[in-house]
Structure formats: structure tokens, C-alpha cells
Amino acid sequence: MTAPKLISGFSKLDSGQKIQWLVETMNLDRSTADFFKSFELSDKELQAVIADLSENHLSNFHLPFSVAPNFLVDGQLMTFPLVTEESSVVAALAKAAGFWAKRGGFHTEIIGTEKKGQLHFCWKGAPEKLVGLFPQIKKQLLDEVAPLTKNMERRGGGMTAIELKYLPEVLPNYFQVDVSFETCDAMGANFINSCLEQFGRSLKNWAQNNEAFQAEEKQVEIIMAILSNYVPNSRVKVLVECSLEELETDPMQARQLAEKLVQAVQISQRDVSRAVTHNKGIFNGVDALAIATGNDFRAIESGAHAYAARNGSYSGLSEAGILDGKFWFSLEMPLAVGVLGGVTRLHPLAKVAMKILGHPSARQLMSYLAVAGLASNWSAVKALVTTGIQQGHMKMHLSNILCSFSLSDEQKQAARLYFQDREVSFSEVQKYLSEHA
Ligand code: MEV
């Protein structure tokens, strides 16, 4: 087998050279360079900010920046900035916002803001010896990490708990220093990782310099030091509720709708195939707001999916019920986000998004993200148990198809009217346009 032809030093090339390499190697059209260029910002300073976000940047990848107004959150009227490629998501969020604003809005509660990190290491001595020495070790770890924590402590954050765990069921001789953090308005990833890496160095030195230790005991093998995206104690709850009469004017239909909504939620709690799709509907909203505000949506997703499986099987994150003539619908999920530093303070549109949200604290942003999650979940589940999802989706799908033809506004309007009660597909639209041109 001939060895694949690798390119070395690619990252050192300038973007023109990278594009040239790509065009030649992938046999792309010569116009690709200009095409890439056409997606860049004319403002050189702003363009440099985007380019610096990633290695090997060639161009900008655009997604719609949208807003959904009418979110009444804890009595305050908000407009949510949203970035998503899925055409029905913003419409669904706006619809849910308007519906619940007339019924008291969204009520949120922060249940905790604790973040976690772990130092993973192996040590071959007697575990009870290390456990016994841990108060002494902890003191040294804290003394040596102090220069890194002092700013965070000044802001009211820092480390809130440090625990040594011996876990031979994971690996032989394996330990963790499990650390809890409060990072205030920062997501805190750099802070947490720096503290943990310092812990690693301090622990190694401490063992090395311990005169009472045998040669083998002096060796601490650090495996890694990293924050955990599992943040079950950084959690937010959001709730909407209304009387059955407010849900639907016809009392029979109201009860039927409420019961179907509850059934749909119950299915998501007991059936994994439904749970995953149900939660995907939640993340349609959460991710759109997370991306708009420059937050790490992969971190949010991985933490929340793990939380959804905390009882041993993966289940839907929202709950619903009927109590004393009232329908309620709620979502409780872990969220660790920041409003300081990172992309939130760098990306020009993330900065506008934060302005639209009124420069929220991290706690407020946690609430808004959960609200977006519950809102998109509500719209999806309501559509599913009433009209079905295709009606709304097809409207958006038709708009997308119409955009791929050069049509006047009148032609688009006529096509929308024609497809109001017809099956939408690319070939059907094409056929209609050829017949009505
Ligand atoms: C589509 O993006 C999301 C839904 O599938 C969510 C759900 O089924 O609840 C509609």
C-alpha cells in the first residue's frame, strides 16, 4: 500500500496559499478563492477577529442571526437573539414566547452554579495512607494555587470543595482530586484547568519531597487535569403554567390537549428513542441562544445529555402535568455558561446578542437558555400532538426551495398560496414554476 501523501506545515501557509493548495489538491474551481473572499467582512478589524477564532481559517461560514421577541421571563419582557440553520426553530420559539407571555410567562429558578474539575492520577502506595495525608496535601495544593485563585476569590468565586477519591474499580491505583468551583460570571474553563494543572505539579512535588515516603511512594503519575462538563449542581429550572381554560377555549379540547401533552412528555421519559428526539427539540432553542451569545454549545449538550441519563436510562428533560385545573410544563437542566471573556466578548455579533439581552449575568443567561429550551420543546410537542410537525416545517421548507429560484415577491406569494394544501417537494415546486412561469 502506498503511503498517503501528507502535507506538513500547512498551518504555516498564509490563507491564499492554503486556498491554492485546496484548489489544486481537491480539484476545485479556480473561482473558489474569490468565492471564499466574498464571504469575508469588509471591515478588516472585524474580519481579523473572526479569522483569529480558528486555525486554518479560509473564509466565514454564515448562519442567520435572528431574534424572537415577546419572551416574558420572571416578569421581564425579553427579545432573544438566535443563531440556527434550522428554518422552523425561530418561528417555533417566537410562537411559544407569544403564547406564554399572555399566560404569565416563564418562571425560572437557579438551583446551583457549582462547576467541577478533576485531577486524575495513579499512586502505588497504600490508599489509606494517602487518604490520611490528604488534609496536609490539600493545604499545600491550596497554598501553591493561591496566586491563580486570588482574582476569582476577589470576585466572590474560587474553589468550594476538594475531595480525594480512590477508585480502583476504574483503574488499578487510580485516584482523583475532585474539585468544585464557583466561577461567577465566567464560564471558567481556563481558570479551572489552570488550577487543576497547578494541583498536578504541586502533588507531584509534594510526593517527591516527602522524606517519609519509600521510593515508589514518591512517584505520582499524573494522567490528566481537566474540568468536567458534567455539572449537575449548576442547574436551572423553568416553568410555565396556565389554567385549562387558558390553554384552549373549548373545555373538552383543553383537557384533551393537556392530557396529550402530558402523555407525550411521559413517553419521552420512558422511551429512549422518543427521549432523544424530544431533547433534540429542547436543544433547538438552547443551542440557538448559546451560539448567538458565543457560548460552547457542545459543553452544554454533553453535560445535559449525561444528566438526562443520570438515573441509568436516557430520558426526556422536561416534565408536564395537570394539577387543580392547571396545566404545567417545566424543564430542569444543568447549564454552565459564562458572560465574561471568550467568544462572548470577542465575536462582534455575540457582543450585539449580549446587548439585546441587556448584558445578563451568567445566572440570568442560564435562565434564558433554559427558557429557550422549554419554549422550543413546547412548540414542538404541541405541534406533534395537534397538527403534526410537517405543516410548519413544510411552510419553511417551501420558503427555502423558493429561495433557490430567482422569483419576485409576487411569484413567491402565488407559490405559497398554491402549496397551502399541497405536498411540498423540490420537484413539485419546479413543476409548478415551469407551468406558471
Ligand atoms: C425537529 O428539529 C425537532 C422535533 O423533532 C422535536 C420533537 O420531536 O419533539 C420536532
Side-chain angles (χ1 to χ4, degrees), residues 45 135 235 271:
E45 250 174 63
R235 231 165 53 243
D271 178 83

Side-chain angles (χ1 to χ4, degrees), residues 106 238-240 282 318 329-331 370-379:
F106 296 82
V238 52
L239 168 90
V240 286
I282 292 173
S318 57
F329 189 51
S330 73
L331 166 69
V371 166
L374 188 69
S376 61
N377 186 217
W378 156 260
S379 280

Side-chain angles (χ1 to χ4, degrees), residues 36-268:
F36 276 151
K37 195 96 203 128
S38 71
F39 286 88
E40 291 195 353
L41 303 169
S42 52
D43 183 319
K44 290 218 168 351
E45 250 174 63
L46 291 184
Q47 181 52 39
V49 173
I50 304 289
D52 285 348
L53 291 178
S54 170
E55 180 99 351
N56 296 340
H57 166 272
L58 301 182
S59 183
N60 302 340
F61 188 102
H62 293 243
L63 285 175
F65 180 99
S66 314
V67 289
N70 297 330
F71 274 99
L72 187 62
V73 185
D74 300 321
Q76 205 189 341
L77 204 53
M78 310 280 311
T79 295
F80 282 2
L82 302 158
V83 172
T84 176
E85 89 301 341
E86 190 172 333
S87 44
S88 57
V89 166
V90 175
L93 280 160
K95 207 166 161 184
F99 181 90
W100 285 109
K102 292 182 200 126
R103 291 158 180 83
F106 296 82
H107 310 281
T108 74
E109 183 193 346
I110 302 290
I111 295 167
T113 54
E114 179 195 80
K115 317 249 166 70
K116 279 279 189 179
Q118 299 158 309
L119 174 68
H120 305 262
F121 68 97
C122 285
W123 186 71
K124 294 207 177 117
E128 35 324 325
K129 192 165 178 180
L130 203 62
V131 172
L133 286 167
F134 196 63
Q136 191 193 111
I137 300 173
K138 191 164 136 182
K139 188 179 172 319
Q140 177 141 355
L141 297 186
L142 285 174
D143 283 350
E144 292 182 12
V145 86
L148 292 177
T149 54
K150 71 172 190 282
N151 276 345
M152 187 59 87
E153 280 166 7
R154 215 174 288 142
R155 282 165 28 206
M159 291 178 197
T160 52
I162 304 175
E163 200 188 332
L164 178 70
K165 292 183 178 172
Y166 172 52
L167 299 166
E169 66 276 20
V170 177
L171 283 175
N173 310 310
Y174 169 68
F175 294 82
Q176 281 177 6
V177 178
D178 184 276
V179 191
S180 306
F181 295 85
E182 177 51 63
T183 59
C184 307
D185 273 340
M187 201 282 178
N190 286 332
F191 167 69
I192 293 175
N193 291 335
S194 301
C195 291
L196 293 168
E197 286 184 10
Q198 177 55 47
F199 273 11
R201 288 187 289 272
S202 297
L203 180 66
K204 233 174 144 53
N205 284 341
W206 174 85
Q208 197 76 57
N209 298 327
N210 191 323
E211 313 240 299
F213 272 5
Q214 306 292 315
E216 197 177 54
E217 290 172 324
K218 286 182 186 283
Q219 302 308 317
V220 168
E221 184 207 332
I222 304 292
I223 301 170
M224 57 190 162
I226 184 73
L227 65 74
S228 169
N229 289 123
Y230 188 51
V231 283
N233 295 327
S234 183
R235 231 165 53 243
V236 55
K237 182 172 178 169
V238 52
L239 168 90
V240 286
E241 59 181 353
C242 68
S243 64
L244 289 183
E245 301 89 75
E246 284 176 295
L247 196 60
E248 202 45 83
T249 30
D250 179 305
M252 281 289 285
Q253 278 182 10
R255 174 144 295 267
Q256 210 175 37
L257 172 62
E259 281 171 0
K260 273 198 173 186
L261 288 163
V262 173
Q263 283 172 331
V265 170
Q266 283 171 344
I267 295 168
S268 85

Side-chain angles (χ1 to χ4, degrees), residues 86 88-89 274 277-282 284 377 380-381 384 389 393:
E86 190 172 333
S88 57
V89 166
R274 178 57 205 148
T277 320
H278 181 93
N279 287 347
K280 192 273 183 185
I282 292 173
N284 276 345
N377 186 217
V381 176
L384 287 171
I389 207 76
H393 271 194

